[in-house]
Amino acid sequence: MHTINTLTPENSTLCLIDHQPWVAFPINSISPEHLTNNVLALAKAAKALEIPAILTTINGESGPLRDPLFQGISALWPDTRPIDRTNTNAWSDPAFVSAVEKTGRKKLVMAGLWTEVCLAQTAISALSAGYEVFFVSDASGGLSPEAHERACQRIIQAGAVPMTWFATAAEWCPDNTAPEYQRMYPITLSHGGGVGWAVEYIMANLPQSEA
């Protein structure tokens, strides 16, 4: 697929940092419904376009109680064991860094909880290591709206690029004549809000063999 976009399925890696129930409980910068919707949409887009994904948890197995990934994420990669750690900065874990290096890709699309802690620390460390970071702010969440916004500002000042899940998916798959474009229809119908109506319109006008 030829594209001039900055992010492509061939040059990106998705890093989902600590989307876990216990970690999500105190999030107040975004509603639970929107957070779940957005991170699952982002994950499904990466899966549909065969973009490698690195999944992490913090104290998911090593704490007093299990705190697994959101079920919707685990269901997309049932054979992938999340990289579990005790340090809030995922970049401090050799297993995480090794997983990033094995992809051979320098553009990291990140989303995580909490924005001001695990996501910010990991993103800034990745930037310092020479990677390009694109963080998906609406698939991330902080302890308060201010905490989230200050973290976003900090990450931007460090050199990362802010994105939303829909902007990321659209950049990954911009050509509406490409075969993979139709893989995005179910994702937009389920998670795109009003944009789903546009997809309904498109599908209604496709030849029956394509719809």
Side-chain angles (χ1 to χ4, degrees):
M1 181 177 64
H2 175 70
T3 179
I4 59 173
N5 284 353
T6 301
L7 291 175
T8 71
E10 294 76 28
N11 69 16
S12 304
T13 299
L14 177 64
C15 302
L16 295 180
I17 312 293
D18 309 343
H19 290 88
Q20 304 160 249
W22 185 90
V23 180
F25 285 157
I27 297 299
N28 279 297
S29 64
I30 185 172
S31 71
E33 296 81 5
H34 283 98
L35 175 61
T36 302
N37 179 80
N38 297 348
V39 71
L40 289 184
L42 178 67
K44 288 178 181 180
K47 180 71 173 183
L49 298 173
E50 301 179 353
I51 295 167
I54 299 171
L55 312 176
T56 79
T57 54
I58 185 163
N59 293 323
E61 299 287 348
S62 56
L65 298 174
R66 292 192 68 250
D67 188 27
L69 287 173
F70 293 169
Q71 288 185 356
I73 298 174
S74 297
L76 291 172
W77 292 282
D79 298 324
T80 298
R81 187 180 182 90
I83 297 169
D84 192 40
R85 59 189 205 287
T86 58
N87 192 309
T88 53
N89 188 338
W91 204 262
S92 70
D93 192 315
F96 181 80
V97 176
S98 176
V100 170
E101 291 174 345
K102 284 179 181 177
T103 68
R105 302 176 178 206
K106 299 297 287 186
K107 298 182 190 294
L108 307 181
V109 176
M110 289 189 179
L113 308 179
W114 304 324
T115 319
E116 67 271 34
V117 183
C118 300
L119 177 59
Q121 292 174 11
T122 305
I124 292 169
S125 290
L127 288 164
S128 296
Y131 288 83
E132 294 180 69
V133 174
F134 302 78
F135 71 97
V136 186
S137 60
D138 67 348
S140 307
L143 298 183
S144 68
E146 181 173 2
H148 177 76
E149 289 303 320
R150 295 296 169 269
C152 289
Q153 290 173 336
R154 181 188 179 199
I155 299 169
I156 292 168
Q157 288 173 352
V161 178
M163 302 287 287
T164 61
W165 83 259
F166 193 84
T168 305
E171 183 145 344
W172 276 336
C173 192
D175 184 356
N176 59 25
T177 65
E180 61 270 20
Y181 192 83
Q182 290 190 29
R183 299 181 213 161
M184 308 302 284
Y185 288 171
I187 300 168
T188 306
L189 285 169
S190 297
H191 300 282
V195 181
W197 295 332
V199 174
E200 288 185 28
Y201 176 82
I202 292 169
M203 294 181 71
N205 287 277
L206 285 174
Q208 198 60 38
S209 61
E210 298 181 32

PDB file of all heavy atoms in Angstrom, residues 5 30 47 66 97 109 142 174 181 203:
ATOM      1  N   ASN A   5       1.561   9.201   4.307  1.00  0.00           N
ATOM      2  CA  ASN A   5       1.280   9.548   5.689  1.00  0.00           C
ATOM      3  C   ASN A   5       2.457   9.199   6.598  1.00  0.00           C
ATOM      4  O   ASN A   5       3.250   8.309   6.301  1.00  0.00           O
ATOM      5  CB  ASN A   5       0.031   8.813   6.177  1.00  0.00           C
ATOM      6  CG  ASN A   5      -1.244   9.426   5.639  1.00  0.00           C
ATOM      7  OD1 ASN A   5      -1.213  10.471   4.998  1.00  0.00           O
ATOM      8  ND2 ASN A   5      -2.363   8.778   5.892  1.00  0.00           N
ATOM      9  N   ILE A  30     -11.791  10.998  31.798  1.00  0.00           N
ATOM     10  CA  ILE A  30     -12.607  10.483  30.716  1.00  0.00           C
ATOM     11  C   ILE A  30     -13.565   9.472  31.330  1.00  0.00           C
ATOM     12  O   ILE A  30     -13.229   8.814  32.317  1.00  0.00           O
ATOM     13  CB  ILE A  30     -11.721   9.823  29.620  1.00  0.00           C
ATOM     14  CG1 ILE A  30     -12.540   9.384  28.414  1.00  0.00           C
ATOM     15  CG2 ILE A  30     -10.903   8.671  30.186  1.00  0.00           C
ATOM     16  CD1 ILE A  30     -11.680   8.911  27.236  1.00  0.00           C
ATOM     17  N   LYS A  47      -5.217  -4.460  15.071  1.00  0.00           N
ATOM     18  CA  LYS A  47      -5.375  -5.886  14.780  1.00  0.00           C
ATOM     19  C   LYS A  47      -5.821  -6.101  13.342  1.00  0.00           C
ATOM     20  O   LYS A  47      -5.289  -6.971  12.632  1.00  0.00           O
ATOM     21  CB  LYS A  47      -6.391  -6.486  15.749  1.00  0.00           C
ATOM     22  CG  LYS A  47      -6.652  -7.972  15.561  1.00  0.00           C
ATOM     23  CD  LYS A  47      -5.476  -8.814  16.008  1.00  0.00           C
ATOM     24  CE  LYS A  47      -5.830 -10.286  15.980  1.00  0.00           C
ATOM     25  NZ  LYS A  47      -4.732 -11.140  16.482  1.00  0.00           N
ATOM     26  N   ARG A  66      -4.972 -10.360  41.257  1.00  0.00           N
ATOM     27  CA  ARG A  66      -4.757 -10.294  39.808  1.00  0.00           C
ATOM     28  C   ARG A  66      -5.475  -9.074  39.237  1.00  0.00           C
ATOM     29  O   ARG A  66      -6.589  -8.749  39.636  1.00  0.00           O
ATOM     30  CB  ARG A  66      -5.276 -11.559  39.123  1.00  0.00           C
ATOM     31  CG  ARG A  66      -4.481 -12.806  39.446  1.00  0.00           C
ATOM     32  CD  ARG A  66      -4.857 -13.948  38.513  1.00  0.00           C
ATOM     33  NE  ARG A  66      -4.433 -13.676  37.135  1.00  0.00           N
ATOM     34  CZ  ARG A  66      -5.261 -13.411  36.128  1.00  0.00           C
ATOM     35  NH1 ARG A  66      -6.564 -13.346  36.327  1.00  0.00           N
ATOM     36  NH2 ARG A  66      -4.790 -13.195  34.919  1.00  0.00           N
ATOM     37  N   VAL A  97      11.507  -3.238  26.364  1.00  0.00           N
ATOM     38  CA  VAL A  97      12.438  -2.656  25.396  1.00  0.00           C
ATOM     39  C   VAL A  97      12.785  -3.680  24.326  1.00  0.00           C
ATOM     40  O   VAL A  97      12.827  -3.363  23.123  1.00  0.00           O
ATOM     41  CB  VAL A  97      13.708  -2.144  26.105  1.00  0.00           C
ATOM     42  CG1 VAL A  97      14.724  -1.636  25.086  1.00  0.00           C
ATOM     43  CG2 VAL A  97      13.355  -1.033  27.092  1.00  0.00           C
ATOM     44  N   VAL A 109       3.115   4.016  18.620  1.00  0.00           N
ATOM     45  CA  VAL A 109       1.804   4.586  18.946  1.00  0.00           C
ATOM     46  C   VAL A 109       1.440   4.077  20.329  1.00  0.00           C
ATOM     47  O   VAL A 109       1.282   2.869  20.538  1.00  0.00           O
ATOM     48  CB  VAL A 109       0.747   4.167  17.902  1.00  0.00           C
ATOM     49  CG1 VAL A 109      -0.632   4.687  18.310  1.00  0.00           C
ATOM     50  CG2 VAL A 109       1.134   4.670  16.520  1.00  0.00           C
ATOM     51  N   GLY A 142      -6.203  10.071  33.010  1.00  0.00           N
ATOM     52  CA  GLY A 142      -5.501  10.494  34.212  1.00  0.00           C
ATOM     53  C   GLY A 142      -6.422  10.567  35.410  1.00  0.00           C
ATOM     54  O   GLY A 142      -7.639  10.392  35.307  1.00  0.00           O
ATOM     55  N   PRO A 174      -5.701   5.295   4.945  1.00  0.00           N
ATOM     56  CA  PRO A 174      -6.303   6.477   4.344  1.00  0.00           C
ATOM     57  C   PRO A 174      -6.978   6.254   2.999  1.00  0.00           C
ATOM     58  O   PRO A 174      -7.781   7.086   2.570  1.00  0.00           O
ATOM     59  CB  PRO A 174      -5.096   7.406   4.175  1.00  0.00           C
ATOM     60  CG  PRO A 174      -3.953   6.474   3.907  1.00  0.00           C
ATOM     61  CD  PRO A 174      -4.238   5.251   4.742  1.00  0.00           C
ATOM     62  N   TYR A 181      -9.387  -1.311   3.594  1.00  0.00           N
ATOM     63  CA  TYR A 181     -10.243  -0.229   4.096  1.00  0.00           C
ATOM     64  C   TYR A 181     -11.554  -0.788   4.649  1.00  0.00           C
ATOM     65  O   TYR A 181     -12.059  -0.307   5.673  1.00  0.00           O
ATOM     66  CB  TYR A 181     -10.510   0.783   2.985  1.00  0.00           C
ATOM     67  CG  TYR A 181     -11.128   2.082   3.469  1.00  0.00           C
ATOM     68  CD1 TYR A 181     -10.325   3.097   3.982  1.00  0.00           C
ATOM     69  CD2 TYR A 181     -12.503   2.291   3.405  1.00  0.00           C
ATOM     70  CE1 TYR A 181     -10.877   4.288   4.425  1.00  0.00           C
ATOM     71  CE2 TYR A 181     -13.065   3.478   3.852  1.00  0.00           C
ATOM     72  CZ  TYR A 181     -12.246   4.469   4.354  1.00  0.00           C
ATOM     73  OH  TYR A 181     -12.805   5.646   4.799  1.00  0.00           O
ATOM     74  N   MET A 203     -21.940   1.833   3.055  1.00  0.00           N
ATOM     75  CA  MET A 203     -22.248   0.422   2.862  1.00  0.00           C
ATOM     76  C   MET A 203     -23.565   0.229   2.109  1.00  0.00           C
ATOM     77  O   MET A 203     -23.720  -0.714   1.329  1.00  0.00           O
ATOM     78  CB  MET A 203     -22.272  -0.290   4.201  1.00  0.00           C
ATOM     79  CG  MET A 203     -20.915  -0.347   4.888  1.00  0.00           C
ATOM     80  SD  MET A 203     -20.920  -1.228   6.476  1.00  0.00           S
ATOM     81  CE  MET A 203     -21.138  -2.909   5.900  1.00  0.00           C
TER      82      MET A 203
END
